[in-house]
Amino acid sequence: MRFSEVPIAGPWGERHLLGLERLTADQIQTVLDLADYYHRMTQKGAVRLDLLKGFVVANLFFENSTRTRTSFSLAAKRLGADTVDFSASSSSLSKGETFVDTALTIEAMGVDLVVCRHRTPGAPHLLSRHLRAGVLNAGDGTHEHPTQGLLDILTIRQKLGRIHGLTVALVGDIRHSRVARSNIHGLIKLGARVIVCGPSTLIPADIVELGVEVAYDLDRILPEVDCVNLLRVQFERQRGAFFPSISEYAALFGMNGDRIRRGKDGMLVLAPGPINRGVELTPEVADGPNSVILNQVSNGLLVRMACLTLLARERQKAVEVAQ
Ligand code: NCD
């Protein structure tokens, strides 16, 4: 299979995927359409393609991850690429090597695409300035997590048929959430109304500059909302106490059966995971008919296959020009 055989109708032209803030609505649609194509291929039974045969994809994860890391590895394998897994704890970083030197060393082994997660905002951007390989941001601190934003948007589009004109509430720890920022950029570009909702201490005042509305009372906005995306409280990024207790948080901002009944019919419940049952949502909601949490996981694989394809195609063009 060649790149020319894959239906890529819209524009792309990016060597790196660093955040949704930098993409246009059309570029975002290009990724979503390609993910839909992979969905149809998978349904027809094509679980392994050889499109990225000969490409090497390196996972550079300097922060914990279950689903993002596994999903990127599996996406690369499904496309026929070779994968290299790199963990910060077992690397020469612990012997004093710098982040960029470690990445250059890995690149010198012939890596084409680098998937990077780091607790420092901007780390993948730094790599993109030093490496010839394409860089995919798999989450940089509290900044962006573009593939998570894309898979959330894909899930909504699949279930509700559109993004334009929908009202999406992002509920929880907006201040520390890279998932929130990527969702906001993507959803607004595609014409959704976005409301961020949570304790006032977890909503930065300047978030309105991104074009969102702010609400502190979930029950008040519930009747207007087509989808809620429940963001985990990022205790590991918080310095200090942002609300009195977890049970108070759950009572005010947790999704439960009662709130589902008071929301719109068919309101979608998303959560990027890992979910904390009893905090952001009750088990009844997590496992109930409104939840699309496992669809999000499946779509994560498709979105990552689409992103790897688009960046590998750019990488191949750059190599051909250099020859
Ligand atoms: C998120 C992350 O790491 O940013 N999880 C994920 O990638 N699925 C959200 C979170 O950790 O709460």
Side-chain angles (χ1 to χ4, degrees), residues 39-271:
H39 182 55
R40 293 193 297 277
M41 294 282 283
T42 312
Q43 279 182 324
K44 280 195 218 153
V47 290
R48 195 151 183 150
L49 308 170
D50 59 4
L51 190 64
L52 264 60
K53 195 161 183 279
F55 282 83
V56 182
V57 179
N59 268 331
L60 258 66
F61 277 64
F62 297 91
E63 203 188 62
N64 292 344
S65 168
T66 320
R67 64 209 81 211
T68 305
R69 183 184 187 129
T70 319
S71 160
F72 263 116
S73 284
L74 194 55
K77 290 193 175 94
R78 287 252 166 115
L79 292 166
D82 293 322
T83 57
V84 186
D85 258 330
F86 170 91
S87 295
S89 57
S90 58
S91 76
S92 292
L93 278 174
S94 56
K95 299 181 189 167
E97 188 171 70
T98 69
F99 170 56
V100 172
D101 281 333
T102 300
L104 285 169
T105 304
I106 291 171
E107 184 182 57
M109 296 176 197
V111 168
D112 298 287
L113 299 175
V114 173
V115 180
C116 173
R117 170 171 283 197
H118 202 283
R119 69 183 144 77
T120 309
H125 307 65
L126 177 68
L127 282 191
S128 73
R129 289 197 288 275
H130 288 274
L131 302 186
R132 282 188 303 278
V135 177
L136 292 99
N137 180 1
D140 61 326
T142 57
H143 178 224
E144 276 225 43
H145 190 353
T147 54
Q148 182 69 46
L150 289 164
L151 76 89
D152 291 346
I153 294 170
L154 178 69
T155 307
I156 298 172
R157 194 177 85 160
Q158 256 176 15
K159 292 285 171 187
L160 301 181
R162 68 195 163 102
I163 300 296
H164 198 272
L166 294 179
T167 299
V168 180
L170 304 172
V171 179
D173 187 353
I174 310 299
R175 182 179 292 281
H176 301 97
S177 174
R178 53 196 176 203
V179 177
R181 249 161 287 276
S182 289
N183 264 272
I184 291 170
H185 290 304
L187 287 166
I188 288 195
K189 282 176 198 213
L190 298 188
R193 172 187 176 212
V194 179
I195 309 177
V196 297
C197 179
S200 57
T201 47
L202 290 178
I203 301 187
D206 57 2
I207 199 85
V208 288
E209 286 166 22
L210 303 185
V212 299
E213 294 168 39
V214 175
Y216 303 109
D217 182 349
L218 177 58
D219 292 315
R220 192 184 59 72
I221 61 165
L222 215 45
E224 302 168 31
V225 161
D226 299 293
C227 323
V228 283
N229 198 338
L230 305 170
L231 306 174
R232 189 175 62 83
V233 181
Q234 311 260 310
F235 291 107
E236 74 279 18
R237 297 190 205 285
Q238 297 180 3
R239 294 188 189 86
F242 285 83
F243 48 81
S245 72
I246 290 181
S247 58
E248 184 181 297
Y249 179 87
L252 292 175
F253 298 103
M255 190 51 65
N256 52 36
D258 184 42
R259 289 201 166 106
I260 293 283
R261 283 183 284 279
R262 284 189 283 119
K264 275 192 181 179
D265 272 353
M267 176 175 74
L268 295 187
V269 175
L270 295 96

